[in-house]
Amino acid sequence: PDHVNALNGSAVVLALRGQPAEARERLERSLRLDPANAGAHHNLGNVLSMLGDAGGAARHYARARELTPAAGR
């Protein structure tokens, strides 16, 4: 499926099941469809952290913060 929310949600399930490589693939596909999806960037940061890619995780966490309006502004 190429529905952004379905890809993001299924990636979270895969990560929780201990399949971070598969989760990464789905999140990357999700971000190809919607590069401005803050939730997918955050989730990809989590998955990359699980895979030991601290630099990649930091980049996606930063992008998620850029895309998420700050509370109270």
Side-chain angles (χ1 to χ4, degrees):
D2 281 338
H3 187 274
V4 172
N5 291 333
L7 289 166
N8 196 16
S10 63
V12 170
V13 171
L14 286 167
L16 291 172
R17 288 184 175 176
Q19 298 173 279
E22 292 85 351
R24 177 184 185 169
E25 291 173 10
R26 293 208 185 171
L27 289 164
E28 289 173 343
R29 186 165 39 161
S30 174
L31 287 169
R32 282 193 298 276
L33 295 169
D34 182 8
N37 187 308
H41 279 286
H42 180 83
N43 290 335
L44 185 51
N46 290 342
V47 166
L48 291 174
S49 182
M50 291 172 73
L51 291 168
D53 181 358
R59 284 189 298 278
H60 283 281
Y61 288 141
R63 184 65 180 139
R65 281 191 305 275
E66 291 171 4
L67 294 168
T68 304
R73 285 192 192 178

